[in-house]
Coordinates of all heavy atoms in Angstrom, one line a residue:
S1 N -41.1 74.5 70.2 CA -42.5 74.5 69.7 C -42.8 73.1 69.2 O -41.9 72.3 68.9 CB -42.8 75.6 68.9 OG -42.2 75.3 67.6
E2 N -44.1 72.9 68.8 CA -44.5 71.6 68.3 C -44.0 71.4 66.9 O -43.6 70.3 66.5 CB -46.0 71.6 68.3 CG -46.6 70.2 68.0 CD -46.3 69.2 69.0 OE1 -46.2 69.5 70.2 OE2 -46.1 68.0 68.7
L3 N -43.9 72.5 66.2 CA -43.4 72.4 64.7 C -41.9 72.0 64.7 O -41.5 71.2 63.9 CB -43.6 73.8 64.0 CG -43.1 73.8 62.6 CD1 -43.9 72.8 61.8 CD2 -43.3 75.2 62.0
D4 N -41.1 72.6 65.6 CA -39.7 72.3 65.8 C -39.5 70.8 66.1 O -38.6 70.2 65.6 CB -39.0 73.2 66.8 CG -38.9 74.6 66.3 OD1 -39.0 74.9 65.1 OD2 -38.7 75.5 67.1
K5 N -40.3 70.3 67.0 CA -40.3 69.0 67.5 C -40.5 68.0 66.3 O -39.8 67.0 66.1 CB -41.2 68.7 68.6 CG -41.1 67.3 69.1 CD -42.1 67.2 70.3 CE -42.1 65.7 70.8 NZ -43.1 65.5 71.8
N6 N -41.5 68.3 65.5 CA -41.9 67.5 64.3 C -40.8 67.5 63.3 O -40.5 66.5 62.7 CB -43.2 68.0 63.6 CG -44.4 67.7 64.5 OD1 -44.3 66.8 65.3 ND2 -45.5 68.4 64.3
I7 N -40.2 68.7 63.1 CA -39.1 68.8 62.1 C -37.9 67.9 62.6 O -37.3 67.2 61.8 CB -38.7 70.3 61.9 CG1 -39.8 71.0 61.1 CG2 -37.3 70.3 61.1 CD1 -39.6 72.5 61.1
K8 N -37.6 68.0 63.9 CA -36.4 67.2 64.4 C -36.8 65.7 64.3 O -35.9 65.0 64.0 CB -36.1 67.6 65.8 CG -35.4 68.9 66.0 CD -35.2 69.2 67.4 CE -36.1 70.3 67.8 NZ -36.0 70.7 69.2
E9 N -38.0 65.3 64.6 CA -38.4 63.9 64.5 C -38.2 63.4 63.0 O -37.7 62.3 62.7 CB -39.8 63.6 65.0 CG -39.9 63.8 66.5 CD -41.3 63.7 67.0 OE1 -42.3 63.5 66.1 OE2 -41.5 63.7 68.2
K10 N -38.7 64.3 62.0 CA -38.5 63.9 60.6 C -37.1 63.8 60.2 O -36.7 62.9 59.5 CB -39.2 64.9 59.7 CG -40.8 64.8 59.8 CD -41.4 65.8 58.8 CE -42.8 65.7 58.8 NZ -43.5 66.6 58.0
K11 N -36.3 64.7 60.7 CA -34.8 64.6 60.4 C -34.2 63.4 61.0 O -33.3 62.7 60.4 CB -34.1 65.9 60.9 CG -34.3 67.1 60.1 CD -33.6 68.3 60.5 CE -33.8 69.5 59.8 NZ -33.0 70.7 60.3
G12 N -34.6 63.1 62.2 CA -34.1 61.9 62.9 C -34.5 60.6 62.1 O -33.7 59.7 62.0
R13 N -35.7 60.5 61.7 CA -36.1 59.4 60.9 C -35.4 59.3 59.6 O -35.0 58.2 59.2 CB -37.6 59.4 60.5 CG -38.5 59.1 61.8 CD -39.9 58.8 61.4 NE -40.6 60.1 61.0 CZ -41.2 60.9 61.8 NH1 -41.3 60.6 63.1 NH2 -41.8 62.0 61.4
L14 N -35.1 60.4 58.9 CA -34.4 60.5 57.7 C -32.9 59.9 57.9 O -32.4 59.1 57.1 CB -34.3 61.8 57.0 CG -33.5 62.0 55.8 CD1 -34.0 61.1 54.7 CD2 -33.4 63.4 55.4
I15 N -32.3 60.3 59.0 CA -31.0 59.9 59.4 C -31.0 58.4 59.6 O -30.1 57.7 59.1 CB -30.5 60.7 60.6 CG1 -30.2 62.2 60.2 CG2 -29.2 60.1 61.1 CD1 -30.0 63.1 61.4
A16 N -32.0 57.9 60.3 CA -32.0 56.5 60.6 C -32.2 55.7 59.3 O -31.5 54.6 59.1 CB -33.2 56.2 61.5
V17 N -33.0 56.2 58.4 CA -33.1 55.4 57.1 C -31.9 55.5 56.3 O -31.4 54.5 55.6 CB -34.3 56.1 56.3 CG1 -34.3 55.6 54.8 CG2 -35.7 55.8 56.9
V18 N -31.1 56.6 56.3 CA -29.9 56.7 55.5 C -28.9 55.7 56.2 O -28.2 55.1 55.4 CB -29.3 58.2 55.5 CG1 -27.9 58.3 55.1 CG2 -30.2 59.1 54.7
I19 N -28.8 55.7 57.5 CA -27.8 54.8 58.1 C -28.2 53.4 57.7 O -27.3 52.6 57.3 CB -27.8 55.1 59.6 CG1 -27.1 56.4 59.9 CG2 -27.0 53.9 60.3 CD1 -27.2 56.8 61.4
A20 N -29.4 53.0 57.9 CA -29.8 51.6 57.7 C -29.6 51.2 56.2 O -29.1 50.1 55.9 CB -31.3 51.4 58.1
A21 N -30.0 52.1 55.3 CA -29.9 51.8 53.9 C -28.5 51.7 53.5 O -28.1 50.8 52.6 CB -30.6 52.8 53.1
S22 N -27.7 52.6 53.9 CA -26.2 52.6 53.4 C -25.5 51.4 54.0 O -24.7 50.8 53.2 CB -25.5 53.9 53.8 OG -25.5 54.1 55.3
I23 N -25.8 51.0 55.2 CA -25.0 49.9 55.8 C -25.6 48.6 55.1 O -24.8 47.7 54.8 CB -25.3 49.8 57.3 CG1 -24.5 51.0 57.9 CG2 -24.8 48.5 57.8 CD1 -23.0 51.0 57.7
S24 N -26.9 48.5 54.9 CA -27.5 47.4 54.2 C -26.9 47.2 52.7 O -26.5 46.1 52.4 CB -29.0 47.5 54.1 OG -29.5 47.5 55.4
I25 N -26.9 48.3 52.0 CA -26.4 48.2 50.6 C -24.9 47.8 50.6 O -24.5 47.0 49.9 CB -26.6 49.5 49.9 CG1 -28.2 49.7 49.7 CG2 -25.9 49.6 48.6 CD1 -28.6 51.0 49.1
W26 N -24.2 48.5 51.5 CA -22.7 48.2 51.6 C -22.5 46.7 52.0 O -21.6 46.1 51.3 CB -22.1 49.1 52.6 CG -20.7 48.9 52.8 CD1 -19.6 49.3 52.0 CD2 -20.0 48.1 53.7 NE1 -18.4 48.9 52.4 CE2 -18.6 48.1 53.5 CE3 -20.4 47.3 54.8 CZ2 -17.7 47.5 54.3 CZ3 -19.5 46.7 55.6 CH2 -18.1 46.7 55.3
S27 N -23.2 46.2 52.9 CA -23.1 44.8 53.4 C -23.5 43.8 52.2 O -22.7 42.9 52.0 CB -24.0 44.5 54.6 OG -23.5 45.3 55.7
I28 N -24.5 44.1 51.6 CA -24.9 43.2 50.5 C -23.9 43.2 49.4 O -23.5 42.1 48.8 CB -26.3 43.6 50.0 CG1 -27.4 43.3 51.1 CG2 -26.7 42.9 48.7 CD1 -28.7 43.9 50.8
T29 N -23.4 44.4 49.0 CA -22.4 44.5 47.9 C -21.1 43.8 48.3 O -20.4 43.2 47.5 CB -22.1 45.9 47.5 OG1 -21.7 46.7 48.6 CG2 -23.3 46.5 46.8
Q30 N -20.7 43.9 49.6 CA -19.5 43.2 50.1 C -19.7 41.7 49.9 O -18.7 41.0 49.6 CB -19.2 43.6 51.5 CG -18.8 45.0 51.7 CD -17.5 45.4 51.0 OE1 -16.5 44.6 51.0 NE2 -17.4 46.6 50.5
A31 N -20.9 41.2 50.2 CA -21.1 39.8 50.2 C -21.3 39.3 48.7 O -20.8 38.1 48.4 CB -22.4 39.4 51.0
V32 N -21.9 40.0 47.8 CA -22.2 39.5 46.5 C -21.2 39.9 45.5 O -21.1 39.2 44.5 CB -23.6 40.2 46.1 CG1 -24.0 39.8 44.7 CG2 -24.7 39.7 47.1
A33 N -20.4 40.8 45.8 CA -19.4 41.4 44.8 C -18.4 40.3 44.3 O -18.2 40.2 43.1 CB -18.6 42.5 45.3
P34 N -17.9 39.4 45.1 CA -17.0 38.4 44.5 C -17.7 37.4 43.5 O -17.0 37.0 42.5 CB -16.5 37.6 45.8 CG -16.6 38.6 46.9 CD -17.8 39.4 46.5
S35 N -18.9 37.0 43.8 CA -19.5 36.1 42.9 C -20.0 36.8 41.6 O -20.1 36.2 40.6 CB -20.7 35.5 43.6 OG -21.7 36.5 44.0
L36 N -20.2 38.1 41.7 CA -20.6 38.9 40.5 C -19.4 39.4 39.7 O -19.5 39.8 38.6 CB -21.5 40.0 40.8 CG -22.9 39.7 41.4 CD1 -23.7 41.0 41.7 CD2 -23.6 38.8 40.4
G37 N -18.2 39.3 40.3 CA -17.0 39.7 39.7 C -16.8 41.2 39.5 O -16.3 41.8 38.7
I38 N -17.4 41.9 40.6 CA -17.3 43.3 40.6 C -15.8 43.8 41.0 O -15.3 43.2 42.0 CB -18.3 44.0 41.6 CG1 -19.7 43.7 41.1 CG2 -18.1 45.5 41.7 CD1 -20.8 44.2 42.1
S39 N -15.3 44.6 40.2 CA -13.8 45.0 40.4 C -13.6 45.8 41.7 O -14.7 46.4 42.3 CB -13.4 45.8 39.2 OG -13.9 47.1 39.2
A40 N -12.4 45.8 42.2 CA -12.1 46.5 43.4 C -12.3 48.0 43.3 O -12.6 48.7 44.3 CB -10.6 46.3 43.7
G41 N -12.1 48.6 42.1 CA -12.4 50.0 41.9 C -13.8 50.3 42.2 O -14.1 51.4 42.8
Y42 N -14.7 49.5 41.7 CA -16.2 49.8 41.9 C -16.5 49.6 43.4 O -17.3 50.4 44.0 CB -17.1 48.9 41.1 CG -17.1 49.3 39.6 CD1 -16.7 48.4 38.7 CD2 -17.5 50.5 39.2 CE1 -16.7 48.8 37.3 CE2 -17.6 50.9 37.9 CZ -17.1 50.1 36.9 OH -17.1 50.4 35.6
M43 N -15.9 48.7 44.0 CA -16.1 48.5 45.5 C -15.6 49.6 46.3 O -16.2 50.0 47.2 CB -15.5 47.1 45.9 CG -16.1 45.9 45.3 SD -17.9 45.8 45.6 CE -18.0 45.8 47.3
L44 N -14.4 50.2 45.8 CA -13.9 51.4 46.5 C -14.9 52.6 46.4 O -15.1 53.3 47.4 CB -12.6 51.8 45.9 CG -11.8 52.9 46.6 CD1 -11.5 52.4 48.1 CD2 -10.5 53.2 45.9
I45 N -15.6 52.7 45.2 CA -16.5 53.8 45.0 C -17.7 53.6 46.0 O -18.2 54.5 46.6 CB -17.0 53.8 43.5 CG1 -15.8 54.4 42.7 CG2 -18.2 54.7 43.4 CD1 -16.1 54.2 41.2
I46 N -18.2 52.4 46.1 CA -19.3 52.0 47.0 C -18.8 52.3 48.5 O -19.7 52.8 49.3 CB -19.7 50.5 46.8 CG1 -20.4 50.4 45.5 CG2 -20.6 50.1 48.0 CD1 -20.6 49.0 45.1
D47 N -17.6 52.0 48.8 CA -17.1 52.3 50.1 C -17.2 53.8 50.4 O -17.5 54.3 51.5 CB -15.7 51.8 50.3 CG -15.6 50.3 50.4 OD1 -16.7 49.6 50.6 OD2 -14.5 49.7 50.2
F48 N -16.7 54.6 49.4 CA -16.7 56.0 49.6 C -18.1 56.6 49.8 O -18.3 57.5 50.6 CB -15.9 56.8 48.5 CG -14.4 56.7 48.6 CD1 -13.6 56.3 47.5 CD2 -13.8 57.0 49.8 CE1 -12.2 56.2 47.7 CE2 -12.4 56.9 50.0 CZ -11.7 56.5 48.9
F49 N -19.0 56.2 48.9 CA -20.4 56.6 49.0 C -21.0 56.3 50.4 O -21.7 57.0 51.0 CB -21.3 56.0 47.9 CG -21.2 56.8 46.6 CD1 -20.8 56.1 45.4 CD2 -21.4 58.1 46.6 CE1 -20.8 56.9 44.3 CE2 -21.3 58.9 45.4 CZ -21.0 58.2 44.2
T50 N -20.6 55.1 50.9 CA -21.1 54.7 52.3 C -20.5 55.6 53.3 O -21.3 56.1 54.2 CB -20.8 53.2 52.5 OG1 -21.3 52.4 51.5 CG2 -21.3 52.8 53.9
L51 N -19.2 56.0 53.2 CA -18.6 56.9 54.1 C -19.2 58.2 54.1 O -19.4 58.9 55.1 CB -17.1 56.9 53.9 CG -16.3 55.7 54.4 CD1 -14.8 55.9 53.9 CD2 -16.3 55.6 55.9
I52 N -19.5 58.7 52.9 CA -20.1 60.0 52.7 C -21.5 60.0 53.4 O -21.9 61.0 54.1 CB -20.2 60.4 51.2 CG1 -18.8 60.7 50.6 CG2 -21.1 61.6 51.0 CD1 -18.8 60.8 49.2
A53 N -22.3 59.0 53.1 CA -23.7 58.9 53.7 C -23.6 58.8 55.3 O -24.3 59.6 55.9 CB -24.4 57.7 53.2
L54 N -22.6 58.1 55.8 CA -22.5 58.0 57.2 C -22.0 59.2 57.8 O -22.4 59.6 59.0 CB -21.7 56.8 57.6 CG -22.2 55.4 57.3 CD1 -21.2 54.3 57.6 CD2 -23.6 55.2 58.0
S55 N -21.1 59.9 57.1 CA -20.6 61.2 57.6 C -21.7 62.3 57.7 O -21.8 63.0 58.6 CB -19.4 61.7 56.7 OG -18.4 60.8 56.8
W56 N -22.5 62.3 56.6 CA -23.7 63.2 56.6 C -24.6 62.9 57.7 O -25.0 63.8 58.5 CB -24.4 63.1 55.3 CG -25.7 63.8 55.3 CD1 -25.8 65.2 55.0 CD2 -26.9 63.4 55.6 NE1 -27.1 65.6 55.2 CE2 -27.9 64.5 55.6 CE3 -27.5 62.2 56.0 CZ2 -29.2 64.4 55.9 CZ3 -28.8 62.0 56.3 CH2 -29.7 63.2 56.3
A57 N -24.8 61.7 58.0 CA -25.7 61.2 59.1 C -25.2 61.6 60.4 O -25.8 62.2 61.3 CB -26.0 59.7 59.1
L58 N -23.8 61.5 60.7 CA -23.2 61.9 61.9 C -23.2 63.4 62.1 O -23.6 63.9 63.2 CB -21.7 61.4 61.9 CG -20.9 61.7 63.2 CD1 -21.6 60.9 64.3 CD2 -19.5 61.2 63.0
F59 N -23.0 64.1 61.0 CA -23.0 65.6 61.1 C -24.5 66.1 61.4 O -24.6 67.0 62.2 CB -22.5 66.2 59.8 CG -22.6 67.7 59.7 CD1 -21.7 68.5 60.5 CD2 -23.5 68.3 59.0 CE1 -21.7 69.9 60.4 CE2 -23.6 69.7 58.9 CZ -22.7 70.5 59.7
S60 N -25.4 65.5 60.8 CA -26.8 65.8 61.0 C -27.3 65.6 62.4 O -28.0 66.3 63.0 CB -27.7 65.1 60.0 OG -27.4 65.5 58.7
L61 N -26.8 64.4 63.0 CA -27.2 64.1 64.3 C -26.6 65.1 65.3 O -27.2 65.5 66.2 CB -26.7 62.7 64.7 CG -27.5 61.5 64.3 CD1 -26.8 60.2 64.5 CD2 -28.8 61.6 65.0
Y62 N -25.3 65.4 65.0 CA -24.6 66.5 65.8 C -25.4 67.8 65.8 O -25.6 68.4 66.9 CB -23.2 66.7 65.3 CG -22.5 67.8 66.1 CD1 -22.0 67.5 67.3 CD2 -22.3 69.1 65.5 CE1 -21.3 68.6 68.0 CE2 -21.7 70.0 66.2 CZ -21.2 69.8 67.5 OH -20.6 70.8 68.1
K63 N -25.9 68.2 64.6 CA -26.6 69.5 64.6 C -27.9 69.3 65.4 O -28.3 70.3 66.1 CB -27.0 69.8 63.1 CG -25.8 70.3 62.4 CD -26.0 70.9 61.0 CE -27.4 70.6 60.4 NZ -27.5 71.1 59.0
I64 N -28.6 68.2 65.3 CA -29.9 68.0 66.0 C -29.6 68.1 67.5 O -30.3 68.7 68.3 CB -30.6 66.7 65.6 CG1 -31.2 66.8 64.2 CG2 -31.7 66.4 66.6 CD1 -31.7 65.5 63.7
F65 N -28.6 67.4 68.0 CA -28.2 67.3 69.4 C -27.8 68.7 70.0 O -28.1 69.1 71.1 CB -27.2 66.3 69.8 CG -27.8 64.9 69.8 CD1 -27.3 64.0 69.0 CD2 -28.9 64.6 70.7 CE1 -27.8 62.6 69.0 CE2 -29.4 63.4 70.7 CZ -28.9 62.3 69.9
T66 N -27.1 69.5 69.1 CA -26.7 70.8 69.6 C -28.0 71.7 69.7 O -28.0 72.6 70.6 CB -25.7 71.5 68.7 OG1 -26.1 71.5 67.3 CG2 -24.4 70.7 68.8
I67 N -28.9 71.6 68.8 CA -30.1 72.4 68.8 C -30.9 72.1 70.1 O -31.3 72.9 70.8 CB -30.9 72.2 67.6 CG1 -30.2 72.9 66.4 CG2 -32.3 72.7 67.7 CD1 -30.9 72.5 65.0
I68 N -31.0 70.7 70.4 CA -31.8 70.3 71.6 C -31.0 70.7 72.8 O -31.7 71.2 73.8 CB -31.9 68.7 71.6 CG1 -32.8 68.3 70.4 CG2 -32.4 68.2 72.9 CD1 -32.9 66.8 70.2
G69 N -29.7 70.7 72.8 CA -28.9 71.1 74.0 C -29.1 72.7 74.3 O -29.2 73.1 75.3
N70 N -29.1 73.4 73.1 CA -29.3 74.9 73.3 C -30.7 75.2 73.8 O -30.9 76.1 74.6 CB -29.1 75.6 72.0 CG -27.6 75.6 71.5 OD1 -26.7 75.4 72.3 ND2 -27.4 75.8 70.3
Q71 N -31.7 74.4 73.4 CA -33.0 74.7 73.8 C -33.2 74.3 75.3 O -33.9 75.0 76.1 CB -34.1 73.9 73.0 CG -34.2 74.5 71.6 CD -35.1 73.7 70.7 OE1 -35.5 72.6 71.0 NE2 -35.5 74.2 69.6
K72 N -32.6 73.3 75.7 CA -32.6 72.8 77.2 C -32.0 73.9 78.0 O -32.4 74.2 79.1 CB -32.0 71.5 77.4 CG -32.8 70.3 76.9 CD -32.3 69.0 77.2 CE -33.2 67.9 76.8 NZ -32.7 66.6 77.0
D73 N -30.8 74.4 77.5 CA -30.1 75.4 78.3 C -31.0 76.7 78.5 O -31.0 77.3 79.6 CB -28.8 75.9 77.6 CG -27.7 74.8 77.7 OD1 -27.9 73.9 78.5 OD2 -26.8 74.8 76.9
K74 N -31.7 77.1 77.4 CA -32.6 78.2 77.5 C -33.7 78.0 78.5 O -34.1 78.8 79.3 CB -33.2 78.5 76.1 CG -32.2 79.1 75.2 CD -32.8 79.4 73.9 CE -31.8 79.9 72.8 NZ -32.3 80.1 71.5
F75 N -34.2 76.8 78.5 CA -35.3 76.4 79.4 C -34.8 76.5 80.9 O -35.5 77.0 81.7 CB -35.8 74.9 79.1 CG -36.9 74.5 80.1 CD1 -38.2 75.0 80.0 CD2 -36.6 73.5 81.0 CE1 -39.1 74.7 80.9 CE2 -37.6 73.1 81.9 CZ -38.9 73.7 81.9
V76 N -33.6 76.0 81.1 CA -33.0 76.0 82.4 C -32.8 77.5 82.9 O -33.2 77.8 84.0 CB -31.7 75.2 82.5 CG1 -31.0 75.4 83.9 CG2 -32.0 73.7 82.4
M77 N -32.3 78.3 82.0 CA -32.1 79.7 82.4 C -33.5 80.4 82.7 O -33.6 81.1 83.6 CB -31.4 80.4 81.2 CG -30.0 80.0 81.1 SD -29.1 80.6 79.6 CE -29.8 82.2 79.4
L78 N -34.5 80.1 81.9 CA -35.8 80.7 82.1 C -36.4 80.1 83.5 O -37.0 80.9 84.2 CB -36.8 80.3 81.0 CG -36.5 81.1 79.7 CD1 -37.4 80.6 78.6 CD2 -36.6 82.6 79.8
K79 N -36.1 78.9 83.8 CA -36.7 78.4 85.0 C -36.0 79.0 86.2 O -36.6 79.2 87.3 CB -36.5 76.8 85.0 CG -37.2 76.1 86.1 CD -37.0 74.6 85.8 CE -37.7 73.8 87.0 NZ -37.6 72.4 86.8
D80 N -34.7 79.2 86.1 CA -33.9 79.8 87.2 C -34.3 81.2 87.4 O -34.2 81.7 88.6 CB -32.5 79.8 86.9 CG -31.9 78.4 86.9 OD1 -32.5 77.5 87.5 OD2 -30.8 78.1 86.4
E81 N -34.9 82.0 86.5 CA -35.3 83.3 86.7 C -36.5 83.5 87.4 O -36.8 84.5 88.0 CB -35.5 84.1 85.3 CG -34.1 84.2 84.5 CD -34.4 84.8 83.2 OE1 -35.5 85.1 82.8 OE2 -33.3 85.0 82.5
D82 N -37.4 82.4 87.5 CA -38.6 82.5 88.3 C -38.5 82.6 89.7 O -37.6 82.4 90.4 CB -39.5 81.3 88.0 CG -40.0 81.3 86.6 OD1 -40.0 82.4 86.0 OD2 -40.4 80.3 86.0

């Protein structure tokens, strides 16, 4: 339905923002950390937060694609019954 499509599009945009933001923040901190004297422990925490964000994005994408795949299977089954 149209509502489901809008929800999937919103989730997709959120996932894209999370990926872009996490990679951008991670890249900037990797470049700036030595000049600011940020310790390796803090950099490790930033690395873990980035991995958590990217893992969430990957899991969310998987859920969206499985929902889309299930809906396409149902459509094909309905089409074959005609």
Side-chain angles (χ1 to χ4, degrees):
S1 75
E2 192 67 30
L3 180 61
D4 290 338
K5 184 178 177 185
N6 289 338
I7 291 171
K8 284 182 251 175
E9 288 175 358
K10 285 182 181 181
K11 285 182 182 180
R13 284 191 293 270
L14 176 64
I15 291 168
V17 167
V18 167
I19 291 171
S22 62
I23 293 298
S24 298
I25 292 169
W26 180 81
S27 298
I28 291 168
T29 55
Q30 293 294 322
V32 176
S35 62
L36 294 178
I38 298 175
S39 70
Y42 288 118
M43 292 307 297
L44 188 62
I45 291 170
I46 292 170
D47 291 343
F48 281 132
F49 278 125
T50 304
L51 284 173
I52 290 168
L54 293 175
S55 298
W56 174 84
L58 184 64
F59 179 72
S60 297
L61 277 173
Y62 175 76
K63 285 188 350 184
I64 289 174
F65 281 121
T66 54
I67 290 169
I68 291 172
N70 289 340
Q71 289 176 348
K72 284 185 179 179
D73 289 343
K74 289 178 186 176
F75 177 72
V76 169
M77 288 171 38
L78 290 174
K79 191 174 180 183
D80 289 340
E81 290 176 1
D82 290 340

